[in-house]
């Protein structure tokens, strides 16, 4: 599937999620006006965040699909991280507002009505939210979309809180103890706020280009599984995520006597292997280094006329070996 088609799939998925979120929001607010329960209000308030965040994510996906240009040589992929950050902030604010309303209702209680109908609506909406979240996460992982994965996790966290909320509302329905409604609001408002904090921590980490362990492990598996004899050493590996793309940079040690043409061919072969493993969402850059005498004992080139030490065995890569630069290795 071409990159343009993948971006269109992500946008189509997000449009469906937004449409469903709007319908669920309408149903939850209908349940709140029927019941006057602040517990039900927590779910309705969360739906406002779902719709707003969904629209922001949809916009970010449209922007991220634009190709790199003169002003944005790495493309627009990081806007997905900005979208996820805004979503996390909105979730945090919604959680805080729900907690505040729960505390207020402790001192100013309200009459609760038609709670059975409200419970049924909230439970049905929670089930739909879980399915939407699963759909969003699977699509996001398949096409490496931070925005879709973040949105899906948000929807699923909403479902988990809904399960507890429904249990609490059933208890309220049976016992008719008024403070249970406020306690539910404070508890699940706190859960919602923590979800927002978690999303903000993850997106802040990505915006600061924190090393992606999952991609590094995949790179380690790739170079360990399909080595070539003249790939004497791969090191100084860096991977940066920009939306759906991974920018990979590394140093490749080759036999010092290689011609420019031979060195270029070896680098292109490494690039081909990596692109096969990471699909077409990789922009790869490699710098070639000449080998030194210290490389002889793990150099697999059989007919090297300049070997100074006998071959002892191939280099066993670890994440540390891959990511260290020349200065770190010499320490």
């Amino acid at each position: 599937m071409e990159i343009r088609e993948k971006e269109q799939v992500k946008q189509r998925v997000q449009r469906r999620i937004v449409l469903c979120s709007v319908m669920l929001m309408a149903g939850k607010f209908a349940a709140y006006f029927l019941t006057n329960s602040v517990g039900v209000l927590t779910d309705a308030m969360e739906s406002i965040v779902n719709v707003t965040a969904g629209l922001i994510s949809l916009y970010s996906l449209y922007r991220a699909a634009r190709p790199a240009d003169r002003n944005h040589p790495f493309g627009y992929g990081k806007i997905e991280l900005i979208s996820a950050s805004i979503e996390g902030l909105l979730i945090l604010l919604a959680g805080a507002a729900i907690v505040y309303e729960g505390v207020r209702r402790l001192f100013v209680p309200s009459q609760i009505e038609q709670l059975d109908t409200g419970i049924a609506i909230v439970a049905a909406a929670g089930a739909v939210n879980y399915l939407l979240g699963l759909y969003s996460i699977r699509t996001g992982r398949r096409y490496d979309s931070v925005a879709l994965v973040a949105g899906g996790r948000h929807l699923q966290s909403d479902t988990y809180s809904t399960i507890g909320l429904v249990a609490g509302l059933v208890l309220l329905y049976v016992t008719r103890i008024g403070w249970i409604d406020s306690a539910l609001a404070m508890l699940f408002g706190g859960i919602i706020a923590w979800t927002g904090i978690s999303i903000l921590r993850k997106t802040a980490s990505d915006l600061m280009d924190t090393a992606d362990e999952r991609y590094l492990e995949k790179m380690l598996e790739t170079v360990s599984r399909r080595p070539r004899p003249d790939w004497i050493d791969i090191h100084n590996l860096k991977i940066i995520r920009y939306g759906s793309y991974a920018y990979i940079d590394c140093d490749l040690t080759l036999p010092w006597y290689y011609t420019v043409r031979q060195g270029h061919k070896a680098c292109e072969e490494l690039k081909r292997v990596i692109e096969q493993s990471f699909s077409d969402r990789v922009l790869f850059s490699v710098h070639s280094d000449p080998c030194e005498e210290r490389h002889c004992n793990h150099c697999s080139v059989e007919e090297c006329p300049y070997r100074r030490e006998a071959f002892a065995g191939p280099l066993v890569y670890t994440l540390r070996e891959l990511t260290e630069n020349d200065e770190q290795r010499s320490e």
Side-chain angles (χ1 to χ4, degrees), residues 51-120:
V51 172
T52 305
L55 290 171
I56 293 171
S57 293
L58 182 58
Y59 173 73
S60 77
L61 289 173
Y62 276 115
R63 292 284 295 181
R66 295 178 62 180
D69 54 35
R70 181 178 179 183
N71 293 324
H72 300 83
F74 293 101
Y76 292 79
K78 284 221 167 181
I79 195 170
E80 290 194 31
L81 297 176
I82 298 173
S83 162
S85 298
I86 295 173
E87 181 174 351
L89 181 60
L90 289 174
I91 294 169
L92 175 59
L93 293 175
I98 292 167
V99 170
Y100 171 79
E101 182 64 17
V103 173
R104 191 185 71 82
R105 286 287 185 98
L106 279 175
F107 300 99
V108 187
S110 300
Q111 183 66 33
I112 300 174
E113 303 173 349
Q114 299 187 52
L115 194 55
D116 52 347
T117 303
I119 291 171

Side-chain angles (χ1 to χ4, degrees), residues 214-275:
R214 183 169 62 93
Y215 266 63
L216 288 172
E217 290 284 357
K218 190 172 183 180
M219 185 70 175
L220 174 62
E221 179 187 351
T222 299
V223 299
S224 299
R225 186 178 67 246
R226 303 179 63 180
R228 271 181 42 149
D230 56 352
W231 295 351
I232 299 172
D233 187 15
I234 299 172
H235 57 285
N236 201 20
L237 171 68
K238 301 181 184 69
I239 300 179
I240 298 176
R241 293 288 306 280
Y242 276 80
S244 299
Y245 290 90
Y247 291 83
I248 301 177
D249 180 81
C250 69
D251 291 357
L252 173 63
T253 301
L254 297 170
W256 66 264
Y257 52 84
Y258 264 20
T259 65
V260 173
R261 186 186 298 274
Q262 288 174 307
H264 176 73
K265 184 178 179 181
C267 291
E268 286 296 307
E269 178 63 19
L270 176 60
K271 177 181 178 182
R272 185 185 66 81
V273 168
I274 290 172
E275 287 180 343

Side-chain angles (χ1 to χ4, degrees), residues 26 47 205 272 281:
S47 289
S205 176
R272 185 185 66 81
R281 297 182 296 274

Side-chain angles (χ1 to χ4, degrees), residues 112-163:
I112 300 174
E113 303 173 349
Q114 299 187 52
L115 194 55
D116 52 347
T117 303
I119 291 171
I121 294 173
V122 169
V128 174
N129 263 340
Y130 182 83
L131 294 175
L132 284 175
L134 186 64
Y135 179 45
S136 183
I137 290 172
R138 285 183 174 178
T139 306
R141 286 177 175 168
R142 182 176 181 182
Y143 298 108
D144 283 331
S145 171
V146 176
L148 284 178
V149 172
R153 285 176 177 164
H154 172 203
L155 290 171
Q156 288 196 333
S157 71
D158 187 23
T159 302
Y160 300 144
S161 63
T162 297
I163 293 172

